[in-house]
């Protein structure tokens, strides 16, 4: 396999460190708008196993690319003869990269889907443009090409969707409800507010109207941070209050898994929610450019959300200051053999472990490992398909077995 990775931020860099230890590819292009960042990612994996990040053995190369330039990305795919484009950028660049891969006759994998737009009249009751709608609208073209666009293949969405498919195939006869539940006990020394993941994406998913799916009602929206519940997370994380957040699983799972209800709830905490509400009240979550004066007095156009992102520490740099664990998982309720059953399928990463083994903090590492596993399954022909597919459209057991082989096991807890 020949891979083009677009995006050498925290997740992209972690992807290179994980992939460097595997042998399913012989050419891996790391491309970023900031060439120095791409070169740093390549240098880290090419310095040998003594760094703790594995060795690239010359298989990695760095290139500069503007992810918004569809034609340039397609040209790079052709030039490097890449079989697949792996998108590790933020969701603003999903569509140009998605279309570039199709134009270049390459497969495509991403970890976040095309952006939503709230309903203009009833944003907290009805869906407008849903996450992924723009991609699914192009499914016919992808099917005709014979190429696969595997969408939402991170940890959430991604592994959480694999868990949903596994539960439907092996653990339940009938599913009443599927609920993705994400929680952590991570702390960051020296910061009052330091999100462990891309703040641009975090604002997008947390302040947009959350989507809920019900079999008899279809998809609908609610108020942000609705339906709070306390969920007990495994491996010492404990009880965390979780609230509804917009997320791709709710749009993906019902397409392939029969369930009465699907939700996504995130353990944000009161302080985090309060800060997000303040950003919204001040208009600092907006992506619409405003005019400010630069140091030379000249007008500069910049979006408030980009200013917020620039003021916060890069999540990829926080690993040495972080402590604790993060948990991603899928709670499923239904029946098996005529009896009620309720389970939580989960994946926990300890920041101390991920920093020691890979030099990547837990949240970005947990996101990064899943698309690498998927690439290996695609390279070996274990996963295959054409069109626009979510992870739950493909067999789950090979993925879960390979994830364990990567040294990062998952678990199942029967709920009392």
């Amino acid at each position: 396999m020949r891979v083009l990775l677009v995006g050498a931020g925290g997740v992209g860099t972690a992807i290179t460190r994980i992939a460097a230890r595997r042998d399913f590819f012989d050419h891996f292009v790391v491309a970023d708008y900031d060439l120095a960042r791409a070169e740093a990612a390549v240098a880290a994996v090419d310095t040998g196993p003594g760094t703790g990040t594995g060795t690239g053995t010359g298989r990695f190369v760095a290139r500069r690319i503007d992810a918004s330039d569809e034609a340039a990305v397609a040209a790079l795919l052709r030039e490097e003869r890449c079989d697949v484009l792996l998108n590790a950028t933020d969701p603003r660049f999903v569509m140009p990269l998605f279309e570039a891969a199709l134009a270049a006759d390459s497969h495509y994998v991403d970890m976040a889907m095309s952006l939503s737009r709230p309903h203009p009249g009833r944003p907290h009751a009805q869906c407008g443009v849903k996450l992924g709608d723009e991609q699914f609208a192009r499914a016919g073209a992808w099917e005709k090409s014979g190429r696969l666009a595997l969408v939402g293949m991170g940890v959430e969405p991604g592994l959480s969707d694999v868990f949903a498919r596994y539960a439907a195939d092996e653990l339940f006869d009938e599913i009443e409800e599927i609920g993705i539940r994400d929680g952590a006990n991570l702390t960051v020394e020296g910061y009052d507010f330091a999100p462990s993941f891309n703040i641009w994406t975090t604002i997008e998913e947390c302040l947009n109207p959350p989507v809920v799916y019900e079999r008899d009602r279809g998809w609908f929206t609610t108020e942000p941070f609705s339906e709070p519940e306390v969920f007990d997370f495994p491996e010492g994380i404990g009880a965390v209050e979780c609230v509804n957040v917009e997320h791709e699983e709710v749009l993906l799972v019902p397409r392939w898994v029969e369930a009465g209800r699907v939700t996504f709830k995130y353990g944000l905490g009161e302080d985090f929610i309060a800060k997000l509400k303040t950003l919204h009240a001040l208009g600092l979550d907006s992506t619409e450019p405003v005019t400010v004066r630069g140091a030379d007095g000249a007008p500069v156009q910049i979006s408030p959300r980009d200013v917020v992102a620039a003021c916060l520490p890069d999540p990829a740099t926080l690993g040495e200051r972080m402590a604790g664990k993060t948990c991603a998982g899928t709670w499923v309720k239904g029946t098996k053999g005529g009896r009620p059953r309720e389970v939580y399928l989960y994946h926990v990463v300890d920041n101390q472990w991920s920093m020691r083994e890979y030099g990547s903090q837990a949240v970005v590492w947990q996101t990064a490992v899943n698309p690498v596993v998927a690439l290996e399954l695609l390279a070996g022909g274990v996963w295959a398909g054409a069109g626009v597919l979510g992870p739950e459209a493909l067999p789950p057991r090979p993925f879960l077995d390979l994830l364990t082989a990567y040294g990062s096991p998952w678990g199942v807890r029967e709920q009392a």
Side-chain angles (χ1 to χ4, degrees):
M1 177 176 275
R2 296 174 69 88
V3 181
L4 170 61
L5 169 68
V6 182
V11 173
T13 297
I15 284 170
T16 64
R17 294 173 180 179
I18 296 164
R21 302 187 183 189
R22 311 300 295 185
D23 61 4
F24 65 87
F25 65 94
D26 56 16
H27 188 62
F28 205 110
V29 181
V30 182
D32 196 278
Y33 189 80
D34 181 350
L35 178 60
R37 193 160 67 163
E39 289 173 335
V42 170
V45 295
D46 271 344
T47 51
T51 64
T53 59
T55 175
T57 59
R59 295 178 295 167
F60 292 80
V61 297
R63 295 287 185 268
R64 185 190 180 278
I65 197 68
D66 180 347
S68 68
D69 189 338
E70 180 183 324
V73 175
L76 182 59
L77 282 163
R78 295 188 189 101
E79 177 189 340
E80 297 287 350
R81 297 180 290 112
C82 291
D83 304 293
V84 59
L85 187 159
L86 174 54
N87 177 2
T89 64
D90 74 54
R92 288 174 290 182
F93 303 106
V94 163
M95 289 311 295
L97 295 175
F98 176 83
E99 294 290 359
L102 179 61
D105 202 30
S106 297
H107 299 295
Y108 170 85
V109 179
D110 66 28
M111 292 164 276
M113 297 174 66
S114 59
L115 292 169
S116 64
R117 292 190 294 277
H119 188 279
R122 303 185 66 200
H124 300 133
Q126 296 180 17
C127 295
V129 176
K130 301 187 299 299
L131 291 168
D133 274 359
E134 291 182 78
Q135 289 174 285
F136 282 114
R138 297 285 283 148
W142 278 88
E143 290 170 10
K144 186 177 179 180
S145 76
R147 294 293 181 261
L148 172 63
L150 177 57
V151 296
M153 191 60 254
V155 60
E156 292 172 342
L159 178 58
S160 50
D161 303 74
V162 174
F163 283 151
R165 175 82 269 165
Y166 175 78
D169 288 354
E170 301 195 26
L171 303 182
F172 289 85
D173 297 325
E174 184 174 351
I175 293 176
E176 176 183 336
E177 184 168 356
I178 294 174
I180 315 306
R181 300 293 183 265
D182 180 298
N185 62 0
L186 294 168
T187 58
V188 182
E189 181 186 2
Y191 288 98
D192 293 328
F193 185 60
S196 58
F197 200 72
N198 181 297
I199 188 62
W200 201 101
T201 304
T202 301
I203 289 173
E204 183 74 19
E205 63 190 26
C206 291
L207 291 178
N208 277 353
V211 181
V212 174
Y213 172 84
E214 293 180 358
R215 182 187 290 122
D216 298 332
R217 189 175 173 184
W219 287 292
F220 62 94
T221 57
T222 71
E223 295 276 351
F225 317 119
S226 58
E227 298 183 359
E229 68 173 68
V230 175
F231 192 86
D232 183 41
F233 290 92
E235 298 195 21
I237 294 174
V240 179
E241 184 177 80
C242 299
V243 293
N244 278 327
V245 167
E246 182 191 47
H247 234 252
E248 287 91 343
E249 292 94 327
V250 180
L251 288 312
L252 285 171
V253 169
R255 295 175 186 270
W256 289 281
V257 178
E258 183 66 27
R261 193 170 196 261
V262 182
T263 59
F264 179 98
K265 293 189 179 183
Y266 197 4
L268 295 171
E270 289 184 9
D271 181 66
F272 197 96
I273 289 173
K275 286 183 168 64
L276 289 174
K277 287 181 175 179
T278 298
L279 290 175
H280 179 65
L282 295 173
L284 294 175
D285 60 325
S286 174
T287 60
E288 292 298 318
V290 296
T291 301
V292 297
R293 294 288 177 182
D296 60 358
V300 177
Q301 291 275 308
I302 189 168
S303 82
R305 192 183 301 184
D306 285 335
V307 173
V308 172
C311 290
L312 291 172
D314 180 353
T317 66
L318 297 176
E320 296 291 348
R321 293 174 173 266
M322 286 175 62
K325 299 176 181 180
T326 184
C327 178
T330 304
W331 164 75
V332 187
K333 180 181 180 181
T335 58
K336 179 69 173 178
R339 296 183 177 182
R341 190 178 194 187
E342 190 175 338
V343 304
Y344 182 59
L345 302 98
Y346 64 90
H347 182 251
V348 172
V349 177
D350 186 317
N351 188 73
Q352 184 179 12
W353 175 85
S354 65
M355 287 297 298
R356 181 180 68 248
E357 293 294 317
Y358 288 89
S360 296
Q361 55 104 320
V363 176
V364 298
W365 189 92
Q366 188 181 48
T367 303
V369 68
N370 295 285
V372 181
V373 172
L375 287 179
E376 185 161 343
L377 294 175
L378 292 171
V382 179
W383 272 12
V388 180
L389 302 180
E392 50 280 278
L394 299 164
R397 175 55 78 173
F399 186 97
L400 295 173
D401 288 346
L402 188 54
L403 179 64
T404 301
Y406 272 50
S408 191
W410 55 283
V412 181
R413 182 183 67 187
E414 295 282 346
Q415 302 288 91

